[in-house]
Amino acid sequence: NKACKLGDLDACANLSTMYGQGQGVKQNLNKAKKWVIVAGKTIPFIDTAKNQGLNFYFQNSPRIYIGTIDENGNPINIDNQSKDVIKYFEIKKAYEKGIDVLDEIDKFVKNYPESVFVPDIEYLKLKILDSENKPDEVISFAKKWIKKYAFNEHLPEIILILAKNYANNADMESATYMYEGLFTEYEGTKYAYKGMIYLADELYSAGDNKRAFKLYKKAFANTKDLEVASLAASRLGQRYLAERKVKEAV
């Protein structure tokens, strides 16, 4: 005991063995455990190799594993979450194939109201309502979506959809307000340039050809998106032909 206290690690190891097996002393597991740490370098189940953290570790012990965490750093129970993940991708794939999934989307939101996929699943619903030309429903739903998910990546596209449906509902004051906000807040994006084309369509229909052509040309000259550039070029060609300006059209 005295030798161990003076720093003799072999003596500490012997003490641990003696107390652990009751050799020459009364067996005492608590004392055996006490000396096993002190004698770290000589106990066979302690590895003395260099470690990034503590200067010893137990061989064959399992590594600490936390797993998936949420945005707040809390562990996610995959068993409880997996159903909404699977269902979301089922609905998304069906939507991409052109299958009507509106009822499935409503069921998803009802069954998994706290799912991280709710903003994305409701985004799909908005796109479906927009494609079905239901401006009243789109306007109502889009306004709620924007209020709830103001920082979502789909926001500029939702603003574009809302502006377009205001115009379809003959509310050009609200439509223009949304378009101008889109041009300012999301300048340089494909949705801003597509919005310019949609607003130009409305201006051209209202007889304001000068402003319409200005927007068409701006979208065409500045966008880097092939789809938007093609749409702007197509509109310019149609408008020039309508005004019998064949050279400009080609």
Side-chain angles (χ1 to χ4, degrees):
N1 193 334
K2 185 175 180 180
C4 179
K5 290 181 178 179
L6 291 174
D8 188 334
L9 296 180
D10 288 334
C12 295
N14 289 334
L15 274 174
S16 177
T17 302
M18 289 170 61
Y19 281 116
Q21 298 180 6
Q23 296 178 357
V25 294
K26 185 177 180 180
Q27 188 178 38
N28 189 323
L29 296 180
N30 287 331
K31 288 187 176 182
K33 292 177 182 178
K34 171 184 176 181
W35 297 116
V36 75
I37 299 300
V38 177
K41 293 183 179 179
T42 61
I43 300 301
F45 51 84
I46 296 182
D47 192 341
T48 60
K50 276 191 173 181
N51 192 1
Q52 296 295 325
L54 298 175
N55 62 358
F56 65 88
Y57 62 92
F58 291 95
Q59 292 178 336
N60 303 319
S61 62
R63 293 179 180 272
I64 296 173
Y65 176 73
I66 297 175
T68 307
I69 59 175
D70 63 19
E71 59 185 2
N72 297 315
N74 299 315
I76 293 176
N77 187 330
I78 296 299
D79 290 335
N80 291 337
Q81 296 289 330
S82 59
K83 289 183 179 179
D84 72 314
V85 176
I86 294 170
K87 192 62 181 176
Y88 166 73
F89 283 106
E90 285 179 356
I91 293 172
K92 189 171 183 289
K93 286 182 180 179
Y95 165 79
E96 290 169 351
K97 292 179 181 178
I99 299 172
D100 184 1
V101 293
L102 276 177
D103 289 340
E104 289 299 312
I105 288 175
D106 289 338
K107 288 178 184 177
F108 181 95
V109 176
K110 181 179 179 181
N111 293 334
Y112 310 105
E114 302 300 322
S115 171
V116 295
F117 294 105
V118 170
D120 297 297
I121 208 79
E122 290 189 338
Y123 158 75
L124 293 183
K125 180 175 181 177
L126 267 171
K127 298 214 8 151
I128 294 168
L129 293 175
D130 180 48
S131 68
E132 294 179 348
N133 194 27
K134 297 178 178 179
D136 289 327
E137 291 185 51
V138 170
I139 291 168
S140 175
F141 197 75
K143 288 166 69 176
K144 292 176 184 176
W145 190 97
I146 291 172
K147 187 175 181 180
K148 288 190 293 183
Y149 313 120
F151 299 101
N152 189 276
E153 63 179 336
H154 297 302
L155 182 60
E157 185 176 1
I158 299 302
I159 294 174
L160 175 64
I161 291 173
L162 180 57
K164 184 178 70 171
N165 280 272
Y166 272 132
N168 291 343
N169 232 18
D171 185 354
M172 279 309 299
E173 182 178 353
S174 297
T176 302
Y177 175 80
M178 297 304 296
Y179 280 129
E180 290 179 348
L182 183 64
F183 304 157
T184 302
E185 297 297 325
Y186 298 96
E187 182 181 5
T189 66
K190 64 177 289 186
Y191 301 108
Y193 291 126
K194 188 177 280 190
M196 289 180 188
I197 297 171
Y198 292 165
L199 179 57
D201 289 342
E202 299 299 330
L203 292 171
Y204 189 85
S205 297
D208 193 346
N209 295 8
K210 185 177 180 179
R211 287 180 63 198
F213 274 104
K214 185 177 180 179
L215 287 174
Y216 287 138
K217 290 177 180 178
K218 184 175 181 179
F220 179 72
N222 292 284
T223 186
K224 295 180 181 180
D225 185 87
L226 181 59
E227 177 196 353
V228 177
S230 298
L231 181 62
S234 175
R235 288 289 201 279
L236 280 168
Q238 292 170 7
R239 305 313 183 206
Y240 279 130
L241 286 174
E243 297 186 7
R244 299 182 179 181
K245 296 180 180 180
V246 179
K247 288 184 179 181
E248 288 86 344
V250 296

